[in-house]
Amino acid sequence: MDLLNTLVDKGLRRELPTREEALAVLATSDDELLDVVAAAGKVRRQWFGRRVKLNYLVNLKSGLCPEDCSYCSQRLGSKADILKYTWLKPDEASKAAAAGVAGGAKRVCLVASGRGPTDRDIARVSETIETIKEQNEGVEVCACLGLLSDGQAERLRAAGADAYNHNLNTSEGTYGDITTTHTYQDRVDTVTKAHDAGLSACSGLIAGMGESDEDLVDVVFALRDLDPDSVPVNFLIPFEGTPLGKEWNLTPQRCLRILAMTRFVCPDVEVRLAGGREVHLRSMQPLALHLVNSIFLGDYLTSEGQAGQADLDMIADAGFEVEGAGTTTLPRHRADAVAAAGCGSGASACGSHEESGCGSHEGGGCGPCGGHAAEVPEQAPADQARTDLVAVRRRGAGTDLAPNA
């Protein structure tokens, strides 16, 4: 296929595809899917080989968020039956982080619900970061605390944070349909603050909220313009009790096309398969490893993932290898740029506030929702809704049960 040959050539040269080419990837048929995966896989292997970076989420403070993000189980007015607790103590957070590190995680992502941190919260998280780094040698730490005020990113970096995550979630044109308590520009400003402070910027999206192909291309191109080191791709986890609880708009095939499009637009960036992979990719998760070079290990913020050992087995069975702590994630040209900016490790950033994505509360990094419903090419029939796969987290941080890692 001429389109795929062109995209591979561009990806190997780090050349941005056109919007028309990106849209064409999303419009390919199921019969062409393996060709699309193979083409994007060539680009992935060029920049990241067969390495898979493991990341581990620690939910520092769960539930009771004053923001109204429609996709999030922790949102204002959410009726989702999730865990609710206030700030973990530094030693509690470090213990949770250690479980992920023991399972092979190279990066720990510290996430807290809320609009954004107070200065007291920054002090609390700074102490937590210092404790985790003292007790887990060599671990990378990414913070995801919401909207940042002036000077807060600098304080987190001084405490030892390597990265900061804040997702765009969806296109600027549809952002107001999923959230009214803050703006798309607020999110852009926070990513910029983190980058300017010398933190590795992490920002991604949430798919499956009713957005059109054009919306998906818009947000991925906007992310490319922001130039984060890490782009988590979340798939909406439709939690009962949230406005998007009945949005089942994804098939495994569409998820793979979205990941392939993201790889073509961001060829040399850490693309992370984040929240919702178990729900929407299901048995086709191994194919996604040919497109992404990073995943979350174990559970998410308020939902459970597949067993950590199952993640490790999947990586090995698919012919990939877990990235070691001594390996630099990013290609040399990007790692050198990060180091020049004073960003420590040079690896990519974490997930998001939301959960569909690195973090996201649940459905995708600080993720958007899906009020805007342009044409969704492959909306799953209602009888394909897999509510049995949406499991609320009842173990790990905030509980007395051992974490999944």
Side-chain angles (χ1 to χ4, degrees):
M1 186 187 297
D2 289 343
L3 168 67
L4 296 179
N5 290 333
T6 297
L7 288 170
V8 170
D9 289 343
K10 287 186 173 183
L12 300 183
R13 299 194 305 266
R14 294 188 288 131
E15 181 180 335
L16 185 67
T18 66
R19 285 182 54 84
E20 291 70 25
E21 289 167 340
L23 286 167
V25 172
L26 296 178
T28 53
S29 69
D30 287 353
D31 289 342
E32 299 166 310
L33 181 62
L34 289 181
D35 294 329
V36 172
V37 172
K42 291 179 182 178
V43 178
R44 180 250 200 266
R45 289 191 299 276
Q46 165 72 16
W47 301 111
F48 300 97
R50 302 190 73 84
R51 294 177 284 112
V52 178
K53 180 177 180 179
L54 299 181
N55 309 266
Y56 190 70
L57 283 168
V58 176
N59 195 353
L60 296 179
K61 179 168 73 77
S62 182
L64 306 175
C65 183
E67 302 298 287
D68 68 354
C69 306
S70 300
Y71 53 80
C72 183
S73 63
Q74 304 184 74
R75 75 187 296 272
L76 178 69
S78 171
K79 293 180 175 57
D81 184 24
I82 61 169
L83 290 171
K84 299 180 179 67
Y85 53 85
T86 189
W87 291 95
L88 297 182
K89 294 180 173 60
D91 282 343
E92 293 173 326
S94 184
K95 182 179 179 180
V101 174
K106 181 176 178 178
R107 169 165 291 186
V108 172
C109 304
L110 303 177
V111 187
S113 62
R115 178 179 178 84
T118 64
D119 287 342
R120 181 181 179 186
D121 294 336
I122 292 293
R124 188 192 328 256
V125 174
S126 294
E127 183 181 354
T128 297
I129 293 170
E130 291 166 355
T131 301
I132 288 173
K133 292 228 161 184
E134 287 171 1
Q135 297 179 2
N136 300 273
E137 183 178 358
V139 70
E140 299 171 9
V141 175
C142 178
C144 178
L145 311 174
L147 302 173
L148 292 175
S149 301
D150 291 345
Q152 291 183 328
E154 287 79 3
R155 291 177 62 190
L156 290 170
R157 180 170 174 249
D162 299 285
Y164 195 83
N165 165 260
H166 200 59
N167 293 336
L168 296 186
N169 294 324
T170 194
S171 68
E172 182 175 12
T174 61
Y175 197 83
D177 294 332
I178 61 164
T179 304
T180 67
T181 47
H182 61 266
T183 68
Y184 178 91
Q185 188 59 47
D186 289 334
R187 288 187 172 271
V188 171
D189 290 346
T190 285
V191 176
T192 301
K193 282 184 172 78
H195 186 273
D196 290 349
L199 291 168
S200 179
C202 173
S203 188
L205 65 141
I206 302 171
M209 298 188 292
E211 70 282 336
S212 66
D213 284 0
E214 288 76 10
D215 292 323
L216 288 169
V217 170
D218 281 350
V219 68
V220 174
F221 271 63
L223 289 165
R224 171 71 182 239
D225 289 342
L226 276 177
D227 197 30
D229 294 318
S230 175
V231 174
V233 180
N234 300 284
F235 300 109
L236 176 71
I237 300 177
F239 268 87
E240 292 186 15
T242 65
L244 297 183
K246 298 188 182 302
E247 292 284 331
W248 290 86
N249 301 317
L250 298 170
T251 64
Q253 294 81 5
R254 179 158 175 80
C255 292
L256 290 170
R257 281 191 280 272
I258 291 168
L259 292 170
M261 183 271 288
T262 304
R263 174 55 72 196
F264 286 130
V265 178
C266 305
D268 59 341
V269 169
E270 178 188 344
V271 176
R272 181 175 302 128
L273 181 55
R277 65 177 165 96
E278 299 89 345
V279 176
H280 296 293
L281 280 164
R282 302 189 287 278
S283 63
M284 294 179 73
Q285 290 181 68
L287 274 180
L289 296 177
H290 293 271
L291 309 171
V292 306
N293 63 293
S294 180
I295 67 170
F296 281 101
L297 176 72
D299 293 337
Y300 301 95
L301 298 178
T302 63
S303 67
E304 294 187 353
Q306 68 185 21
Q309 187 59 52
D311 289 337
L312 299 177
D313 291 343
M314 176 180 71
I315 292 169
D317 290 347
F320 292 85
E321 60 185 22
V322 173
E323 182 173 291
T327 303
T328 300
T329 300
L330 296 175
R332 179 175 295 278
H333 62 275
R334 289 195 69 94
D336 288 347
V338 173
C343 185
S345 67
S348 309
C350 125
S352 102
H353 208 166
E354 281 84 313
E355 194 151 301
S356 229
C358 160
S360 63
H361 276 119
E362 209 73 35
C366 238
C369 89
H372 171 84
E375 298 178 58
V376 178
E378 300 162 345
Q379 181 163 354
D383 62 358
Q384 290 186 18
R386 293 298 305 273
T387 55
D388 58 307
L389 294 177
V390 180
V392 173
R393 181 173 68 85
R394 302 295 186 198
R395 60 195 174 193
T399 76
D400 294 327
L401 300 179
N404 173 25

